[in-house]
Amino acid sequence: MNRILVVVDAVKGFISEGPFANPRAVNKVDNIVSLCELFRCDNIVFLKDCHSNDAIEFNAYIPHCIKGSLECELDDKLVEFEKLQNAISFKKNSTNGLMNREIRKYFEKLLINKDGYKNLEIHVCGFITEVCVMQFVLSLNSLINELNINGVSITVHKNAIDTFDAPGHNADDINEFVFNNFKQNGIKVV
């Protein structure tokens, strides 16, 4: 069995710094660290929000995670895992990491070649549930379906994924909706 852990946007900009700093995310970091420990001998992929000053995304979202800022850096508790030989990091300028050509090429090569993998488990954790995590997971699932690849599963770890609370934005309700959406699409939720 071969496993990969994908850590989506566990950067300071969604945890402790800037306009999207989030106490709910702070409370999930230790769960992400535990997953990284569990996957220490497997492959770990970090997707990190990192925008140019004039990012088109800022038409929809307030400026955040601007290149060169602390917001683009992984949470301090995760930095050691990024340095592992079996870890790779990608910066992204979009909510959906799979739209980044380098990230998409990495996963396409992995899925198409599978390098003799009989079974491949892709595990996902990170932030923000209904934006970056959901878009990546559903797009990856669609890519697996489009390529008609058997023997690949996606598992999301709900204790290591979260969003934020705000007026009209109930985090628990949003998480529940997204996790049910994943299940309806054949994605495991644990």
Side-chain angles (χ1 to χ4, degrees), residues 46-57:
F46 293 97
L47 307 183
K48 303 189 307 187
D49 228 27
C50 188
H51 299 291
S52 58
N53 285 319
D54 61 349
I56 299 293
E57 184 178 306

Side-chain angles (χ1 to χ4, degrees), residues 11 15 35 52 55 65 73 78 86 88 100 146 148 163 166 187:
V11 293
I15 301 169
L35 281 172
S52 58
C65 298
E73 296 176 9
L78 298 170
N86 56 319
I88 187 168
N100 174 299
E146 177 63 28
N148 207 33
T163 188
I187 296 159

Side-chain angles (χ1 to χ4, degrees), residues 14-153:
F14 291 111
I15 301 169
S16 59
E17 300 285 333
F20 289 119
N22 181 1
R24 289 179 66 105
V26 170
N27 292 332
K28 297 289 175 99
V29 171
D30 286 341
N31 295 341
I32 294 173
V33 169
S34 294
L35 281 172
C36 288
E37 282 292 349
L38 186 65
F39 284 81
R40 182 179 280 279
C41 296
D42 298 292
N43 294 307
I44 303 175
V45 178
F46 293 97
L47 307 183
K48 303 189 307 187
D49 228 27
C50 188
H51 299 291
S52 58
N53 285 319
D54 61 349
I56 299 293
E57 184 178 306
F58 298 158
N59 291 334
Y61 300 100
I62 58 176
H64 62 281
C65 298
I66 296 172
K67 185 184 276 187
S69 73
L70 286 176
E71 293 178 38
C72 296
E73 296 176 9
L74 283 177
D75 184 86
D76 291 341
K77 292 180 178 181
L78 298 170
V79 171
E80 71 173 282
F81 300 104
E82 187 179 31
K83 295 176 183 176
L84 294 173
Q85 187 175 8
N86 56 319
I88 187 168
S89 288
F90 295 100
K91 294 177 182 174
K92 64 185 187 67
N93 190 42
S94 166
T95 53
N96 188 339
L98 212 56
M99 295 301 105
N100 174 299
R101 288 182 186 145
E102 289 179 34
I103 296 168
R104 185 177 174 100
K105 189 165 69 171
Y106 173 87
F107 281 98
E108 283 178 344
K109 181 178 178 185
L110 181 74
L111 293 169
I112 292 168
N113 296 331
K114 288 205 299 186
D115 297 325
Y117 294 173
K118 299 250 189 292
N119 293 302
L120 176 62
E121 294 180 6
I122 301 172
H123 295 256
V124 182
C125 63
F127 311 110
I128 296 292
T129 310
E130 77 283 10
V131 184
C132 300
V133 173
M134 184 177 75
Q135 289 181 17
F136 173 76
V137 169
L138 291 177
S139 295
L140 182 61
N141 192 55
S142 294
L143 180 62
I144 292 165
N145 292 341
E146 177 63 28
L147 297 174
N148 207 33
I149 304 290
N150 287 312
V152 178
S153 66

